[in-house]
Amino acid sequence: MQKILILDFGSQVTQLIGRRLRELNVFCEIFPYNKVPALDETVKGVILSGSPCSVRDANAPQVDLSLFRGSLPLLGICYGAQYLAHMGGGRVESSDSREYGRAMLDVVKAGSPLLKGVSSRTQVWMSHGDTISALPEGAEVIASTADVVNAAFQFTGEPTYAVQFHPEVFHTTEGSRMLANFALDICGCKGDWTPDSFIETTVADLRAQIGDDKVILGLSGGVDSTVAGVLLNKAVGHQLTCIFVNNGLLRKHEFEDVLESYRDMGLNVIGADASADFLEQLKGVEEPEAKRKIIGRLFVETFDKYARGIENARWLAQGTIYPDVIESAGIPGIASKIKSHHNVGGLPETMKLKIVEPLRMLFKDEVRRVGRALGIKEELVGRHPFPGPSLAVRIIGDITEEKLRVLREADDIFIRSLRSYDCTGMGFPSASDPRLMATNLYDAIWQAGVILLPVRSVGVMGDERTYENPVALRAVVSTDAMTADWFPLPYDLLRDVSNEIIRKVRGVNRVVYDISSKPPATIEWE
């Protein structure tokens, strides 16, 4: 399979480079700068990412350019560009004219392959304090801004290019064109990595990997585990058994509705109702992390109990996706860790199952594209992310049956209202596939839900005063949940949802809307 390697120097937007390339149907992989994999004929090019570091720092991240420079097309972005200049004998200095945010780029060399088809003057996004004040020998400038002369350059006689701006971000209006020029034309990638090709290859690989063994998959109702289940079912059929655990903290009718959806899809699903155990163990527990640990432990115990009833199972399947397994670069001052998926780890070693993760190379939006290609219903493919601890982290404080009733009813009203609100023509892209326009507000939003607050407020209903709980509505847009912004819900929707919740949900007399972005807030309240 043809691919481009992205070497991560610690930029917060490195994953966006990968997403933009994959939108061009070009496969790519992200590796830390200090863990360059062995290069073979499948690698068609290399990209050096940005970084919060300066190339002038004593501990600046470095990579041996001789591994690929001159033999493979190379593109340096921001720090990557400065690194190419610095290592080539150019001069990188702290700039008095630091550029952050939008800037206008003027193309100096229209014949550059990197800038083919790019407007002579175009908007780009800058984020750097250093600047390249002198190019190395053999390099020539191909584009400039008002403050940065060497905003983009190339080396003569070799396919090596560099830009001091970020072509991967939305605000660089022709960034995708530049990345397409690099990946498709300069690197010669065919652009044939599509959902259909992924399905064909993955199904064949799963059959070869699993053979005649049995597989267990923990379903959650979310898009990742659902797509993983359908892929595995396509590959090994009756050898797959899925377990869907009811922890007693799911949304209204969710356990029954999701089970019914899976039965319609031909999946072999066991519904494990352990709600009484979860609620008993959570009684009186208020601290968020304590709630998470209890839920995690009981999930493992419940899953293990039902899994032991499946004879000769050899594999545990998980819906792990690519952002869960990308290793950070480990630059000094930046936390080095591997993100842990909520389904990864914690299962008893006595299960002795081998792991299979059919989606581990996909981003969330790619999982949805694969799901659509598999024919999975849109209500499952476009479903919002939902926290692993479920409604436990949307009830601030201890959990009771009464609080769950209140939250479920309020949440059901909110989500139904989002699904039924026609936003055709309002210009909102679909959160599950930004290339499409949303027809209802649910599809335009990345994640939405209701939080039950642990305070009481005075209200008036009829001729009586009330003293009941407020609930907070939360709706955000995001691409990867690392950052998120609150969604501008229409006033008439907020009015109608507030009125319906207060009229119909006993125990609630006030509704507020959370307009906090992440950062500094988080998407969930706990």
Side-chain angles (χ1 to χ4, degrees):
M1 180 191 302
Q2 293 181 331
K3 61 186 174 186
I4 290 177
L5 297 185
I6 302 170
L7 300 186
D8 182 17
F9 289 96
S11 169
Q12 292 184 346
V13 292
T14 298
Q15 288 191 30
L16 280 181
I17 305 172
R19 294 171 68 88
R20 295 294 172 259
L21 289 176
R22 292 185 181 195
E23 287 171 1
L24 300 167
N25 294 329
V26 174
F27 184 66
C28 62
E29 291 188 72
I30 300 172
F31 289 91
Y33 72 92
N34 54 357
K35 294 186 178 180
V36 182
L39 304 179
D40 57 31
E41 67 280 358
T42 65
V43 179
K44 298 301 180 182
V46 177
I47 294 178
L48 308 180
S49 84
S51 173
C53 300
S54 167
V55 296
R56 300 176 296 107
D57 293 342
N59 295 320
Q62 299 186 33
V63 65
D64 183 359
L65 295 174
S66 67
L67 294 172
F68 38 76
R69 183 174 171 185
S71 59
L72 287 170
L74 177 61
L75 173 62
I77 295 176
C78 199
Y79 177 91
Q82 294 167 0
Y83 187 75
L84 286 171
H86 179 69
M87 297 304 291
R91 188 165 62 251
V92 179
E93 299 176 316
S94 179
S95 174
D96 293 331
S97 300
R98 297 184 177 188
E99 284 201 327
Y100 292 96
R102 295 175 179 85
M104 295 307 297
L105 184 78
D106 293 307
V107 174
V108 175
K109 187 176 178 63
S112 170
L114 186 68
L115 301 178
K116 185 182 71 174
V118 174
S119 304
S120 60
R121 185 171 175 81
T122 186
Q123 178 181 284
V124 296
W125 185 264
M126 294 284 190
S127 180
H128 61 90
D130 287 352
T131 193
I132 300 169
S133 55
L135 292 178
E137 183 177 350
E140 61 178 328
V141 64
I142 59 176
S144 305
T145 70
D147 294 317
V148 179
V149 174
N150 301 310
F153 59 95
Q154 65 185 40
F155 287 84
T156 56
E158 63 176 278
T160 299
Y161 302 83
V163 295
Q164 284 204 79
F165 52 87
H166 287 274
E168 69 273 25
V169 303
F170 173 79
H171 298 295
T172 298
T173 53
E174 295 181 82
S176 291
R177 174 72 265 169
M178 300 174 198
L179 291 174
N181 288 339
F182 178 74
L184 301 176
D185 296 341
I186 297 170
C187 296
C189 293
K190 295 178 181 178
D192 57 358
W193 193 70
T194 64
D196 287 333
S197 68
F198 172 82
I199 292 168
E200 181 180 357
T201 301
T202 302
V203 167
D205 289 346
L206 288 171
R207 286 172 179 160
Q209 181 181 13
I210 295 169
D212 296 327
D213 294 340
K214 290 186 177 179
V215 189
I216 304 171
L217 169 68
L219 286 172
S220 67
V223 61
D224 299 337
S225 66
T226 298
V227 173
V230 174
L231 267 176
L232 283 158
N233 189 53
K234 189 177 180 68
V236 299
H238 68 278
Q239 296 164 233
L240 172 68
T241 299
C242 305
I243 300 174
F244 180 33
V245 176
N246 181 8
N247 57 16
L249 304 165
L250 302 177
R251 284 172 151 155
K252 185 176 181 180
H253 302 316
E254 184 171 24
F255 185 59
E256 299 80 8
D257 291 346
V258 171
L259 277 178
E260 193 61 34
S261 297
Y262 286 145
R263 290 191 183 100
D264 290 345
M265 296 159 60
L267 293 178
N268 177 26
V269 183
I270 297 173
D273 189 354
S275 53
D277 293 337
F278 279 81
L279 295 181
E280 177 62 30
Q281 291 289 316
L282 288 166
K283 189 178 296 182
V285 179
E286 296 186 7
E287 205 274 319
E289 191 59 26
K291 289 192 285 188
R292 290 177 184 273
K293 288 181 178 178
I294 290 170
I295 293 166
R297 174 178 58 80
L298 287 176
F299 173 82
V300 168
E301 293 175 0
T302 304
F303 188 89
D304 185 35
K305 171 185 172 183
Y306 282 84
R308 288 179 182 278
I310 303 168
E311 295 183 2
N312 300 318
R314 296 287 183 269
W315 296 87
L316 172 67
Q318 297 180 153
T320 311
I321 63 175
Y322 199 37
D324 302 326
V325 298
I326 294 175
E327 188 174 353
S328 68
I331 299 169
I334 298 176
S336 176
K337 69 173 185 177
I338 298 175
K339 290 178 64 180
S340 177
H341 188 267
H342 68 274
N343 283 338
V344 175
L347 291 173
E349 293 184 6
T350 54
M351 289 184 72
K352 299 187 184 305
L353 297 176
K354 295 178 286 186
I355 302 296
V356 57
E357 297 170 317
L359 306 178
R360 67 179 287 113
M361 297 310 298
L362 300 185
F363 290 102
K364 176 74 76 173
D365 53 339
E366 293 169 334
V367 174
R368 289 190 166 110
R369 289 175 63 195
V370 169
R372 292 185 177 102
L374 287 166
I376 299 174
K377 291 180 290 188
E378 188 62 31
E379 64 189 69
L380 288 172
V381 173
R383 191 176 183 193
H384 289 179
F386 190 58
S390 308
L391 297 181
V393 292
R394 293 183 179 174
I395 295 175
I396 311 301
D398 68 324
I399 297 165
T400 66
E401 289 276 17
E402 174 61 14
K403 290 179 180 178
L404 283 166
R405 178 197 66 79
V406 170
L407 183 55
R408 284 192 180 109
E409 293 296 334
D411 178 83
D412 183 60
I413 290 170
F414 185 36
I415 298 301
R416 281 193 294 102
S417 298
L418 293 175
R419 288 188 182 278
S420 63
Y421 195 100
D422 185 357
C423 68
T424 304
M426 296 177 70
F428 293 129
S430 170
S432 64
D433 189 344
R435 299 169 303 169
L436 306 175
M437 298 306 293
T439 58
N440 64 75
L441 285 179
Y442 182 89
D443 290 341
I445 291 166
W446 166 268
Q447 188 169 347
V450 178
I451 300 91
L452 181 62
L453 304 183
V455 296
R456 300 175 78 186
S457 67
V458 175
V460 178
M461 292 187 181
D463 295 326
E464 298 181 355
R465 292 169 67 85
T466 60
Y467 195 51
E468 297 177 333
N469 292 90
V471 294
L473 310 181
R474 185 78 161 129
V476 299
V477 285
S478 180
T479 55
D480 53 16
M482 298 299 292
T483 61
D485 199 5
W486 61 278
F487 187 87
L489 289 177
Y491 287 128
D492 58 335
L493 175 90
L494 289 170
R495 177 197 62 209
D496 293 345
V497 168
S498 176
N499 288 341
E500 187 173 358
I501 289 176
I502 291 171
R503 282 191 298 107
K504 294 183 177 180
V505 182
R506 178 172 42 84
V508 176
N509 66 354
R510 193 179 298 270
V511 175
V512 299
Y513 186 44
D514 182 351
I515 57 170
S516 308
S517 296
K518 176 186 179 181
T522 54
I523 295 177
E524 300 295 340
W525 281 41
E526 285 194 345

